[in-house]
Amino acid sequence: MDGRRVRPVGAWRYLLSLLLSLLPVSAGAQALAGNEPLTVSGFGTLGVIHNSSSEAAFVRDLGQPKGAGEGWSARVDTLLGGQVDLKLNDRFDVTLQGISRYHHEGDFSPELTWAFLRYTPSPGWQLRAGRLGWDSYLFSESRYVGYAYPWVRPPVDHYGILQLDYIEGVDVTYRRPLGSGLAWAKLFAGRSTSHLVLSEALSAEMDISNLYGGHLNYALGPWQFRASYARADSDADFSVDREAFARNPRTLVLNTLIGRAFDYGAIELYSLGMTYEQGRWQVQAMQNRSTTDSEGVIDSGFVSLGYRTGQATPYVMFSRVRTSFPEIPAGESFRQRTWSLGMRYDVATNLALKTQLDRVHVIRPGLLWRETDADWEGDRITLVSLGLDFIF
Amino acid sequence: MTRFRHFIAAALLVTGGLAHADIAVVTNANSGIAQMSRSDVINIFMGRYRKLPNGELALPIDLAPVKARFYQALVDKNLAEINSWWARLVFSGQASPPHQAETTAQAISLVVHNPSALGYVDTHHLTSELHVVLVLHE
């Protein structure tokens, strides 16, 4: 059997047995009840994806070492998360969350995503300390909670390249009514570690320090707007898989170039986002620009439009990403855009079925595709995905 | 005879009105809150900003038999959409959902015993211990 088509059968069995053992109790969506001091809840996705291309394997983000090659794969989207919330008193509470999904270690080993103490001294103020979610982009913190959004996965062009799984630090949020809407501001500071797999032969452990930033939000009726900024120092520790190099020596040049693009000392991120939810309509739009101190630029954005009719919510989405690293030859910059068409179907109030068709136009290949030849010039790739999202 | 007909018409009007009862958003009679705007109630029940007009941290209470009608009237969303909304907030560690009451008696008892509780009941089930801060027409 071709190596890239091996499916993680062990993980499937594990997820399925967990799912089956949990679903009967979840009928009342216990997760979403604030009654008890201690709540245990969770979320998950059983997802399969079909890739039309024999030349490039699809990954959901740069943390995934292997992708979904030609044919069907359950690797990229399937995941399971669990959360414990403990209310200590009216002002203090603790949250722990772990997620098992296919990630940089090449397996589904669970990771602790949140572990924080929250202090709510008044309705307007909230302080958190510990391991926190990173939410510079709208929906970043909930990007693995499939039940929370209409798509099979958040647009990879936008969420696939620059993400932190968590930050270790503190954040403070202040909310107040402003005009006839509600305004809130959040500031955060901390550090993080990020694992990027830049190609089969090259991965990087990024030590992210002096990380700080914040965002301003305004919600008015069906509208919500966010403007955010973040900056961090970064120290990349590259590791090279010599066997992978030996198998395909032509990737050496490409890897060196990609490595240089990510060997920056500092990065700044600017992001704008808006959502509109009025009755049956759901619109989301975001635009980011990230710049590195070595003059690298990553631009990405997306627009999504959905309309609920009964239990079904069909949607259409357009996303794109464009990178430019002046230090490496222009031909190595990465560009692609994607049209997605899909539908979410709410089977129950804790279970949604989804299907999505992605047509990806890889204009300049580079990141986000695995098992490509060094001379791959890009292509139009069709992906078909099926997903079952649940909460319990 | 005409009087009798008027009586029938009035009775029909009343029962017709009852069949399409409204939903009352209620607080404890001692909360000191006169009334609340729809956007205040949305902010509290959707976990955005849980401040009561009296400055206290609000304790919102969902009532299972009326929940679907309440959110349809308040924000025009069905229960799957409401759960989807809460999945985002809960699993991103931002807020915790309202307390879930199974029966009207439970909801009323919580409101009566807690000055910062904010609940809702079918207008049929209003009692003198409850203070109505907003009426949602369906």
Side-chain angles (χ1 to χ4, degrees):
Chain A
M1 199 192 237
D2 184 343
R4 69 182 172 225
R5 293 177 69 177
V6 174
R7 290 169 206 167
V9 174
W12 259 113
R13 283 215 188 110
Y14 152 73
L15 283 170
L16 262 177
S17 57
L18 258 172
L19 172 62
L20 291 174
S21 68
L22 290 164
L23 272 184
V25 239
S26 68
Q30 205 62 33
L32 306 179
N35 297 20
E36 304 296 331
L38 179 72
T39 18
V40 180
S41 54
F43 54 90
T45 300
L46 294 170
V48 288
I49 184 168
H50 183 273
N51 183 352
S52 68
S53 171
S54 59
E55 291 187 290
F58 171 81
V59 288
R60 178 172 167 141
D61 58 53
L62 284 185
Q64 298 187 324
K66 285 187 179 174
E70 191 177 14
W72 292 93
S73 168
R75 188 185 280 137
V76 294
D77 291 318
T78 299
L79 62 87
L80 184 71
Q83 183 167 315
V84 176
D85 292 280
L86 176 64
K87 196 171 155 77
L88 301 172
N89 56 44
D90 284 348
R91 298 193 166 179
F92 286 96
D93 63 277
V94 172
T95 297
L96 300 172
Q97 186 191 83
I99 299 181
S100 164
R101 65 184 186 92
Y102 180 69
H103 60 94
H104 65 94
E105 286 175 21
D107 58 24
F108 281 72
S109 55
E111 276 194 315
L112 183 68
T113 44
W114 328 142
F116 62 80
L117 175 72
R118 174 176 23 215
Y119 173 52
T120 313
S122 71
W125 288 93
Q126 174 178 287
L127 290 93
R128 304 189 303 173
R131 183 174 281 199
L132 308 163
W134 187 69
D135 67 345
S136 262
Y137 307 167
L138 213 52
F139 306 136
S140 275
E141 278 185 308
S142 52
R143 67 190 182 280
Y144 298 123
V145 188
Y147 189 80
Y149 45 76
W151 324 295
V152 166
R153 72 190 74 79
V156 167
D157 293 340
H158 193 71
Y159 291 90
I161 295 181
L162 284 173
Q163 287 297 335
L164 297 174
D165 284 339
Y166 51 79
I167 66 168
E168 278 158 355
V170 291
D171 66 22
V172 54
T173 311
Y174 175 66
R175 289 166 190 266
R176 61 158 294 172
L178 187 69
S180 45
L182 182 74
W184 66 100
K186 178 167 165 178
L187 294 172
F188 63 87
R191 61 161 304 283
S192 184
T193 304
S194 181
H195 298 268
L196 304 180
V197 181
L198 299 170
S199 76
E200 294 78 54
L202 182 73
S203 57
E205 185 178 310
M206 314 278 281
D207 180 25
I208 314 283
S209 58
N210 297 320
L211 167 65
Y212 56 83
H215 47 79
L216 294 170
N217 302 266
Y218 190 62
L220 181 67
W223 298 92
Q224 186 183 325
F225 303 93
R226 171 179 293 189
S228 67
Y229 169 80
R231 61 88 51 213
D233 293 333
S234 168
D235 186 14
D237 184 9
F238 292 98
S239 54
V240 173
D241 182 341
R242 294 190 191 285
E243 281 179 35
F245 263 136
R247 277 200 303 275
N248 192 352
R250 285 190 300 173
T251 62
L252 181 67
V253 176
L254 180 64
N255 278 309
T256 310
L257 294 170
I258 291 175
R260 270 168 59 190
F262 278 83
D263 197 12
Y264 50 79
I267 187 165
E268 286 185 296
L269 296 86
Y270 303 85
S271 177
L272 291 174
M274 64 76 71
T275 63
Y276 174 85
E277 289 183 49
Q278 175 72 56
R280 293 157 175 269
W281 291 97
Q282 303 176 4
V283 183
Q284 292 93 1
M286 270 165 244
Q287 179 67 38
N288 290 349
R289 163 159 287 201
S290 308
T291 56
T292 72
D293 60 350
S294 47
E295 293 177 25
V297 177
I298 302 174
D299 283 328
S300 66
F302 76 93
V303 180
S304 169
L305 174 70
Y307 179 80
R308 173 173 60 80
T309 164
Q311 288 158 280
T313 308
Y315 57 86
V316 58
M317 175 160 66
F318 174 73
S319 60
R320 65 179 177 187
V321 57
R322 177 187 193 133
T323 69
S324 140
F325 297 103
E327 289 194 354
I328 63 178
E332 303 304 336
S333 289
F334 169 60
R335 276 177 69 193
Q336 72 177 28
R337 49 181 182 239
T338 308
W339 278 100
S340 305
L341 192 66
M343 189 170 79
R344 170 184 174 132
Y345 186 82
D346 283 290
V347 181
T349 54
N350 58 357
L351 197 65
L353 266 171
K354 293 174 186 171
T355 178
Q356 185 169 315
L357 175 75
D358 297 296
R359 182 76 172 155
V360 190
H361 185 188
V362 185
I363 302 157
R364 290 196 191 279
L367 303 166
L368 288 175
W369 296 93
R370 306 288 187 230
E371 290 143 55
T372 58
D373 284 338
D375 57 359
W376 186 52
E377 289 183 337
D379 199 355
R380 285 185 164 84
I381 295 176
T382 304
L383 305 167
V384 176
S385 308
L386 296 170
L388 176 71
D389 294 300
F390 53 91
I391 51 170
F392 56 89
Chain B
M1 194 61 198
T2 314
R3 217 174 261 176
F4 184 63
R5 257 198 305 232
H6 281 173
F7 173 74
I8 296 283
L12 281 172
L13 272 176
V14 168
T15 49
L18 289 177
H20 300 279
D22 294 324
I23 298 168
V25 180
V26 294
T27 63
N28 186 301
N30 301 319
S31 66
I33 300 165
Q35 55 186 8
M36 289 176 67
S37 70
R38 176 182 277 261
S39 72
D40 286 343
V41 173
I42 291 174
N43 282 339
I44 289 171
F45 275 92
M46 301 302 278
R48 277 180 164 164
Y49 184 59
R50 287 199 167 147
K51 191 177 184 179
L52 288 169
N54 65 9
E56 292 295 312
L57 183 66
L59 171 74
I61 296 161
D62 271 334
L63 173 56
V66 188
K67 190 172 172 179
R69 287 169 51 206
F70 174 72
Y71 285 102
Q72 206 70 60
L74 187 70
V75 286
D76 194 15
K77 287 182 189 296
N78 64 29
L79 286 183
E81 289 173 297
I82 293 298
N83 279 352
S84 176
W85 170 271
W86 278 108
R88 187 199 304 168
L89 293 191
V90 168
F91 297 124
S92 61
Q94 289 179 49
S96 52
H99 189 102
Q100 307 294 306
E102 292 302 318
T103 64
T104 303
Q106 265 180 27
I108 291 177
S109 164
L110 280 162
V111 171
V112 167
H113 292 102
N114 194 326
S116 57
L118 186 69
Y120 52 83
V121 293
D122 192 298
T123 46
H124 279 160
H125 297 130
L126 280 172
T127 70
S128 58
E129 303 161 299
L130 301 172
H131 174 67
V132 178
V133 290
L134 179 71
V135 174
L136 296 174
H137 304 285
E138 292 181 283

